[in-house]
Amino acid sequence: MNKDIESIIVTSEEIAEICKRLGQRITNDYKGKEIVLIGLLNGSVPFMASLMMEIDLPIQTEYMQASSYHGGTSSSMLVQIKKDLDYNISGKDVLIVEDIVDTGATLQAIIELLNNRGAKSVEIACLLDKPTGRKVQGINPKYIGTEVGNQFVVGFGLDYDERYRNLKYVGILKQEVYKK
Ligand code: PRP
């Protein structure tokens, strides 16, 4: 797998530091509260696992899964909920955990859903933010690991064709791999 990677942009050591830094901020910001962490499957799994262990608070962990079909324009972006919560988040402080925020369409749909269900607060923690990819307004993650440019990145949860999620780092995939 490593042979398909052009370069590493976030090392496993940097990811560990990110989780520690964000975990401390979250711990301070939510002191005295109980948060519900909602990991978005599948990509968030490694980040969710690492981040939650750096949060020194009583937390609850839940998971949702959405799939998006991105068309040419923002109006054609459809998000389907493939796995919903079986837990009532009404009145809860919710923190959505994502591997990457790109167009923002997935989070827009999830946030709207959680707000409609009466969440007390909804914030976003993401390992990677790709601001140049944004197609919807108003999606501003509070907790960001690091920003990435417009490259095709894989690893630490992020896939290409369902592969590379198990890399310990985030890297740029060689073009020859996805242009085959
Ligand atoms: C990826 C990623 C985010 C979403 C970000 O998920 O994990 O959830 O896309 O893109 P957006 O900001 O443009 O909506 P994907 O739907 O590929 O599923 P996965 O997590 O199973 O890889």
Side-chain angles (χ1 to χ4, degrees):
M1 263 192 327
N2 293 298
K3 69 176 180 7
D4 295 340
I5 303 303
E6 182 87 55
S7 61
I8 295 175
I9 56 167
V10 195
T11 66
S12 61
E13 292 79 14
E14 285 167 338
I15 293 171
E17 283 165 21
I18 284 169
C19 293
K20 195 163 272 202
R21 171 170 58 82
L22 296 183
Q24 282 170 356
R25 270 186 62 200
I26 292 165
T27 302
N28 289 333
D29 291 353
Y30 289 90
K31 202 155 272 165
K33 296 178 179 172
E34 276 192 35
I35 28 174
V36 180
L37 258 57
I38 299 181
L40 300 192
L41 298 171
N42 291 310
S44 73
V45 169
F47 181 50
M48 177 84 162
S50 303
L51 181 66
M52 71 165 84
M53 284 184 268
E54 302 293 348
I55 301 173
D56 188 13
L57 292 173
I59 59 164
Q60 180 165 347
T61 56
E62 300 288 338
Y63 296 89
M64 294 177 80
Q65 188 170 24
S67 70
S68 47
Y69 305 96
H70 299 174
T73 64
S74 56
S75 60
S76 62
M77 285 191 282
L78 291 173
V79 177
Q80 185 196 357
I81 305 297
K82 287 164 73 180
K83 180 195 182 298
D84 205 342
L85 295 172
D86 48 15
Y87 174 73
N88 183 0
I89 51 93
S90 176
K92 303 287 181 184
D93 290 300
V94 172
L95 184 60
I96 303 171
V97 180
E98 259 289 32
D99 51 351
I100 188 165
V101 183
D102 187 359
T103 66
T106 304
L107 281 170
Q108 186 184 48
I110 298 276
I111 290 169
E112 191 183 337
L113 190 68
L114 298 176
N115 280 330
N116 285 342
R117 290 177 183 176
K120 188 173 162 194
S121 68
V122 180
E123 297 290 354
I124 304 158
C126 62
L127 175 64
L128 307 175
D129 189 15
K130 195 189 261 192
T132 54
R134 208 70 97 248
K135 288 188 180 169
V136 300
Q137 301 301 312
I139 301 298
N140 303 307
K142 184 168 182 180
Y143 306 99
I144 298 170
T146 188
E147 283 190 7
V148 289
N150 210 18
Q151 312 100 326
F152 197 100
V153 289
V154 294
F156 211 77
L158 291 134
D159 74 306
Y160 167 64
D161 210 9
E162 297 303 326
R163 288 165 59 214
Y164 307 100
R165 293 191 196 274
N166 53 329
L167 292 174
K168 291 178 183 170
Y169 53 81
V170 175
I172 298 172
L173 195 60
K174 284 182 182 166
Q175 279 199 14
E176 65 203 50
V177 177
Y178 56 93
K179 287 202 168 154
K180 264 180 200 163

